[in-house]
Amino acid sequence: MYRFFRPFLFRLDPEAAHQLTLQALRFAGSFPLSEWFLTQFYRAPSKPVHAFGLTFKNPVGLAAGYDKDAAAVRGLSTLGFGHVEVGTVTPRPQSGNPRPRVFRLPEDEAVINRMGFPSKGADFVASRLQRLNVAALKHDNIVLGVNLGRNQDTPNEAAAIDYLQLLQCFAPFVDYLAINISSPNTVGLRSLQGRAALGGLLKQLHVQRKVEETSLGKHIPLLVKLAPDLLEAEIEDALDVILSTRMDGIIVTNTTLAREGLKSKHRGESGGLSGSPLRARSEAVLHQIVKRVDEKIPIVSVGGIMTPEDATRRLELGATLIQLYTGLIYRGPSLVKKILEGQ
């Protein structure tokens, strides 16, 4: 089915095509009949995974960035995913970077984006999640996460305030929270991955997490999302901090600033690169982190997963879960089912 629609979508501006598909999924998730049809069409084998104290019906999730404001969670949950990660959400509404800010690179099976965390803000997204039928998601065994980021005009010295506010806002509604300190499209954000800055941030988040857990009577897993462009020593520093501050998991990797070997006319655009060119680097970082972490906490692998074979390799390398985004743009939503049928 997607092969029929893809040429039409690829004639549209990438951001316009994204909004079109997002709204279609939002519409589909609003009506029981369309929701039932999609669930039947994309039904995949159950492959339960236990991680962070949660049970996932399968290891394949939707990465942050697709549904930034929780517009289509119900529709997305019908496509076979074991988990859906909403966001990135910022405390206050912001428009992100000027358009154009998303570029397809078909020759490279890649995308460059410099979105800059466009977000309707924490209060808006929380109100949507509050209205969402969470019981229905639980019935369908869909794990829901929210990806958190600081506002563009918040200096790194005050970033902890943004993340603490977001933690308090979303803890009641979600199964886990992802701390995004690795997007290349918010100036200075990646500096928070350094040992001192990361340690200060995660220590505060862990303390506040414990307060929220006592209040809500549930565990709130915190995951940290890292960049693929860190040097080996920088990765080691980040892992030391993540483990010592009792984080529950690691998401690797975000998009890359590297541009080696690209063919597309858009290869010179600024922003984060995702898709096939990220595959090798993402796998290399995953290998290093799996070896260093030594099964102390689960790892989520994302970046350059374009085929069932890519997915299988990530799981064989030691990832507990995987996430998709750009692979869906080039292969369509049936990629989830194909991955799970091949496991």
Side-chain angles (χ1 to χ4, degrees), residues 37-56:
F37 174 79
L38 286 174
T39 301
Q40 298 306 308
F41 191 84
Y42 291 107
R43 185 181 298 277
S46 177
K47 306 280 184 178
V49 177
H50 302 285
F52 326 121
L54 304 170
T55 299
F56 297 74

Side-chain angles (χ1 to χ4, degrees), residues 275-320:
S276 290
L278 182 54
R279 181 188 296 116
R281 181 56 185 162
S282 190
E283 288 183 356
V285 175
L286 174 63
H287 177 73
Q288 179 185 354
I289 290 178
V290 167
K291 184 176 180 181
R292 171 65 176 80
V293 168
D294 193 26
E295 299 184 347
K296 293 182 179 70
I297 56 176
I299 300 166
V300 183
S301 182
V302 57
I305 300 176
M306 308 293 287
T307 67
E309 292 74 23
D310 292 336
T312 298
R313 176 161 174 78
R314 300 301 173 90
L315 296 171
E316 290 176 346
L317 282 170
T320 301

Side-chain angles (χ1 to χ4, degrees), residues 72-83:
V73 176
R74 283 300 305 159
L76 289 164
S77 71
T78 66
L79 302 181
F81 293 108
H83 69 281

Side-chain angles (χ1 to χ4, degrees), residues 142-154:
I142 301 295
V143 172
L144 179 63
V146 172
N147 188 285
L148 313 178
R150 70 159 170 83
N151 280 108
Q152 287 181 324
D153 60 357
T154 300

